[in-house]
Amino acid sequence: MNFLSKRAQAIAPYTAGEQPADKQYVKLNTNENPYPPSPRATEVLRAFDAGALRLYPRPDADGLRAAIARAEGVEEGNVFCGNGSDEVLALSFPAFFDEEGKPACFADLTYSFYEVFAAFFGVKTHIVPLKADFSFDLAAMQTADCAGYYLCNPNAPTGIALPIETVENFVASVGERIVIADEAYMDFYGQSAVPLTKKYKNLLVVKTFSKSYSLAGIRCGYAVGDEALIGGLFRMKDCFNSYPVDAVAQAVCTAAVEDKDYRDKTAALVKRERARLREALLSLGFTVPESGANFLFAGRVKKSGGELYRALKEEGVLVRHWEKPILRDFLRITIGTPEQNDVLLAKLKQILK
Ligand code: PMP
C-alpha cells in the first residue's frame, strides 16, 4: 500500500545546502553571514520572557511589520511577514498564479526553489536561459507569454546584480504582469527596488533576515508591495498557517531591523572581503562574475567543480556545487571572515598545484 498522493510521489523536492555535523568545517556553502546578529537583537533574545511563549504570537506580526515599514519607508499595510522568505515566495505562487492560467517566467539559472514551488502549486513555468555571460535575457523575458516573473536580484547562484534603472525599465515595460523581485542578497549591493513599489502596483519585493541581518536560524522574511498584493499573500497565509512568525522571531527581528547601522557595517565588511576574494580567485585563473551578493560564483579552472568541491571538503572547507550542465564547472563560495577566506584560498592553491 502506498499512502502518498500522486503529487508527493512525483515531485522533486528542493535540496538545501548540507549542514554536516561530523566535524567543524569552514562553512562557505549556504550564504550565511559570518558575523553575529546585531547586539540589540542579541539583547532582546537574552531578555526574552519565556513565560510569554504560553500565548500564540501576533498572527500578522503587527509590531514587526510596523518596524519593517519604518525601516523601508512604506506603510505597515505594504508589508507581509513569513517564516523565512522561502515561505513568502511559496505563498506568492498560489496568490498570483492560476493553475490553468499563464506560466510564471524566470531564468534557467536562478534560485532553484522557484521551480519546486511552481511544481508544488501546479503553476506552469516559462524558463528563459541566461545569456552566455550569465546575465538575464530581459528582452526574451519581456516578450514571454506569461502571468508574471521571478527576478532574483542579485541573482543566485551567479551573484550578478541588475542596477535599479534596469529593474524599473523592466517593471514598467511589463505593467500588466506581476514582477516578484527576490532581494535576499540586496543589502550586499544596495539598489533595492522597494521605493519603486510606491510607483508600480505590479512590483512585489521579497527580502529576508537570513543574510544581511545574520538571522538565518530564526526563519523570517518579508514582502513589500502595494496593499492589493500584500492582501493576496495574507489570504494565502490564512489558508495555510495563522502564525508563521513565532514570538521570539518577531521580537528579535524587530530589534534587528531597527539597527540598520549594524547591518550596513557587517555588509560593508562582507563587501570588502568579496572584492579581495574575487581578485585572488581571478589570479588563480578562475572565471568569477562581478557579484552583488555575499557569495562568488567561480569556476572554469583545470579541475571540475565537483573535484574542487570534494577536495575542499576533504580539507575541511565546505562550498556549494551542483552536478548540472553549466553549473558543473563552477563553485558557489559564500564570503566568510578574512580568516576563513584565507583558509579557502590556501586550500585552493594547494589543490590546484
Ligand atoms: N531567495 C534566495 C535567492 C535565496 O538564496 C534564499 C536562501 N536559500 C532564499 C530566498 C530564502 O531565504 P530564507 O528562507 O532564509 O529567507
Side-chain angles (χ1 to χ4, degrees):
M1 208 41 208
N2 186 344
F3 295 105
L4 297 193
S5 68
K6 289 194 189 76
R7 179 171 296 188
Q9 290 180 58
I11 202 158
Y14 174 75
T15 348
E18 59 192 320
Q19 303 280 9
D22 59 331
K23 63 177 182 193
Q24 277 265 245
Y25 287 93
V26 173
K27 199 171 168 302
L28 305 175
N29 71 324
T30 43
N31 299 343
E32 288 139 334
N33 196 313
Y35 299 105
S38 148
R40 284 165 64 176
T42 308
E43 187 44 40
V44 166
L45 183 62
R46 199 173 286 130
F48 194 87
D49 171 20
L53 294 178
R54 189 176 60 77
L55 301 175
Y56 283 105
R58 287 167 146 186
D60 295 347
D62 291 340
L64 172 58
R65 286 171 53 234
I68 293 169
R70 281 193 299 275
E72 296 283 11
V74 297
E75 300 298 320
E76 192 174 340
N78 300 117
V79 180
F80 173 83
C81 290
N83 190 260
S85 62
D86 276 340
E87 189 185 65
V88 178
L89 290 165
L91 296 176
S92 72
F93 278 83
F96 308 120
F97 297 90
D98 288 305
E99 289 186 47
E100 63 285 356
K102 289 190 175 179
C105 175
F106 43 86
D108 61 342
L109 271 193
T110 188
Y111 187 33
S112 54
F113 223 144
Y114 307 149
E115 197 144 23
V116 179
F117 289 140
F120 184 64
F121 289 105
V123 171
K124 293 192 278 296
T125 59
H126 181 110
I127 308 291
V128 177
L130 292 184
K131 297 200 266 193
D133 64 355
F134 297 118
S135 64
F136 286 121
D137 191 343
L138 292 175
M141 290 173 81
Q142 260 160 354
T143 54
D145 187 19
C146 65
Y149 302 91
Y150 285 84
L151 200 61
C152 187
N153 190 34
N155 196 18
T158 62
I160 296 175
L162 294 175
I164 184 82
E165 301 78 31
T166 309
V167 174
E168 175 159 18
N169 287 339
F170 184 79
V171 171
S173 74
V174 297
E176 302 294 301
R177 304 167 184 165
I178 188 167
V179 178
I180 295 142
D182 179 351
E183 295 193 349
Y185 301 102
M186 182 49 83
D187 293 331
F188 304 103
Y189 180 59
Q191 297 195 31
S192 175
V194 160
L196 298 178
T197 58
K198 292 183 186 169
K199 191 167 162 194
Y200 298 98
K201 293 193 182 307
N202 62 325
L203 175 63
L204 186 79
V205 177
V206 179
K207 292 193 174 183
T208 180
F209 284 94
S210 299
K211 313 295 180 183
S212 57
Y213 289 99
S214 307
L215 288 167
I218 215 135
R219 310 305 303 131
C220 188
Y222 62 93
V224 181
D226 185 66
E227 275 190 36
L229 301 183
I230 296 301
L233 291 172
F234 270 112
R235 288 180 70 82
M236 296 299 97
K237 166 190 97 77
D238 289 325
C239 296
F240 183 71
N241 182 357
S242 307
Y243 310 99
V245 186
D246 68 68
V248 177
Q250 290 189 32
V252 171
C253 290
T254 300
V257 82
E258 286 173 346
D259 195 0
K260 254 209 256 187
D261 288 349
Y262 178 85
R263 179 203 72 185
D264 291 343
K265 216 166 63 187
T266 50
L269 293 176
V270 169
K271 283 158 75 173
R272 200 168 68 194
E273 273 301 291
R274 179 177 72 201
R276 182 180 76 94
L277 188 57
R278 179 162 181 267
E279 283 307 315
L281 290 169
L282 288 172
S283 66
L284 284 175
F286 282 89
T287 296
V288 195
E290 184 106 42
S291 168
N294 68 338
F295 56 84
L296 291 167
F297 187 60
R300 292 201 184 126
V301 281
K302 61 187 174 196
K303 288 192 191 276
S304 73
E307 285 174 300
L308 290 175
Y309 158 77
R310 283 185 293 277
L312 282 170
K313 188 170 179 184
E314 192 72 17
E315 294 289 332
V317 180
L318 270 189
V319 296
R320 193 90 197 260
H321 174 254
W322 293 269
E323 209 43 80
K324 277 198 235 171
I326 320 179
L327 292 177
R328 190 169 287 146
D329 286 335
F330 283 82
L331 299 173
R332 192 198 64 192
I333 304 169
T334 305
I335 311 298
T337 60
E339 297 73 31
Q340 289 177 312
N341 301 331
D342 283 341
V343 174
L344 167 87
L345 287 169
K347 301 292 182 195
L348 274 178
K349 275 183 201 149
Q350 190 185 311
I351 293 162
L352 286 170
K353 218 172 27 210

